[in-house]
Amino acid sequence: MFRYFFSFIITLFITFSLQAQIVCSNASKIALDKRIEELNKMKVDTFNIPLREGNIARIFLDTPYLEKTLEIGKKEELVINFVGFDCTTFVESVTAMNLLFNHAPSLRNLNHYASILERLRYRNGQLTGYGSRLHYFTEWVLDNQKKGILKDMTLEIGGQTYDKKINFMSTHISSYKRLIDNDSALNTIKVAETTINQHPLSQIYIKNIASVEAKIKEGDIIALVTKINGLDVSHVGIAVKKLDRIHLLHASQSSGKVVITNKPLAEWLKNSKLNTGITVARLNP
């Protein structure tokens, strides 16, 4: 009872702080309500938060892959889409749903979900324009670690630091239409890049994944470190176990839907020409 009362107070605070305009189609609202009902029946609120992540992720298997679901309209708004995901919105949506189940059943609804999603997706938990979105996944982890939501486990479970300057967005402005002729947003992005570059980057190299696999847990958030100059990661997903091996559950562009890799993560990445390793983040219990 105390837990739900405390959650009620916290949720009221979060909801009243929601300033963003919500964009959610009727189809997405129906899908969201259906998922909440399904998870209520599964009693996922009895699981700890990290384990819950993998269980929630699995209910989205076969959901269509959709690109650029956040790039709609002329201004940044809080987009909620449950009919299709790209890799990042998949991880965000699963994690927001996970955190929603910290609250009493009566509070598991669209408005509270939106409040949690805004907190995850935007710097310091508040949407204040395109530049406030945590575009780089490295900053997404840093910011949500600062909020107490998760912890970067990469170094702790066997990763190594590496040197790389992150500046892809500010050096490829033409690829981001909302940065074109938008000095304010561009300056915010440059500040974000500076923040990332002030922190040591880390990864578990592909050749070492098998040796640390036992330390990766169901529900961990996995990001694939990329070889692309100026960019930190190229893809994200959620670790799940199959036959005691770690696989990646992710929104796959090539498969056109949310899938689990057909091989364990270590083997799946073994011959990658795009990636050098992974990072691992774990939600706090």
Side-chain angles (χ1 to χ4, degrees), residues 40-55:
N40 279 332
K41 290 179 180 178
M42 290 171 59
K43 299 186 184 301
V44 296
D45 55 354
T46 63
F47 306 157
N48 68 43
I49 294 173
L51 180 60
R52 195 190 298 165
E53 186 85 349
N55 281 270

Side-chain angles (χ1 to χ4, degrees), residues 54-67:
N55 281 270
I56 292 175
R58 290 172 188 273
I59 73 169
F60 292 103
L61 283 168
D62 296 325
T63 302
Y65 180 93
L66 288 178
E67 283 188 334

Side-chain angles (χ1 to χ4, degrees), residues 10 19 25 47 66 73-74 86 121 139 147 198 204-205 209 217 229 262 278:
I10 293 297
Q19 314 246 338
S25 69
F47 306 157
L66 288 178
K74 294 183 178 180
D86 60 30
R121 184 177 288 168
E139 194 194 7
K147 294 166 189 165
Q198 289 173 343
I204 299 166
Y205 286 95
I209 294 174
K217 295 184 177 181
N229 289 336
N262 60 347
I278 64 171

Side-chain angles (χ1 to χ4, degrees), residues 66-101:
L66 288 178
E67 283 188 334
K68 299 182 178 180
T69 56
L70 304 186
E71 310 302 321
I72 59 176
K74 294 183 178 180
K75 65 177 183 177
E76 185 76 6
E77 296 176 308
L78 186 65
V79 177
I80 297 173
N81 190 333
F82 267 81
V83 298
F85 304 111
D86 60 30
C87 65
T88 302
T89 58
F90 170 66
V91 169
E92 283 184 336
S93 299
V94 169
T95 303
M97 183 69 81
N98 188 345
L99 298 179
L100 183 67
F101 273 76

Side-chain angles (χ1 to χ4, degrees), residues 250-269:
H250 62 129
S252 167
Q253 185 176 24
S254 59
S255 299
K257 59 184 179 180
V258 176
V259 296
I260 298 175
T261 54
N262 60 347
K263 296 179 180 179
L265 182 61
E267 282 77 40
W268 185 67
L269 281 174

Side-chain angles (χ1 to χ4, degrees), residues 217-235:
K217 295 184 177 181
E218 167 108 10
D220 283 351
I221 297 170
I222 307 292
L224 309 189
V225 179
T226 182
K227 296 178 182 178
I228 297 172
N229 289 336
L231 193 60
D232 54 345
V233 304
S234 61
H235 194 61

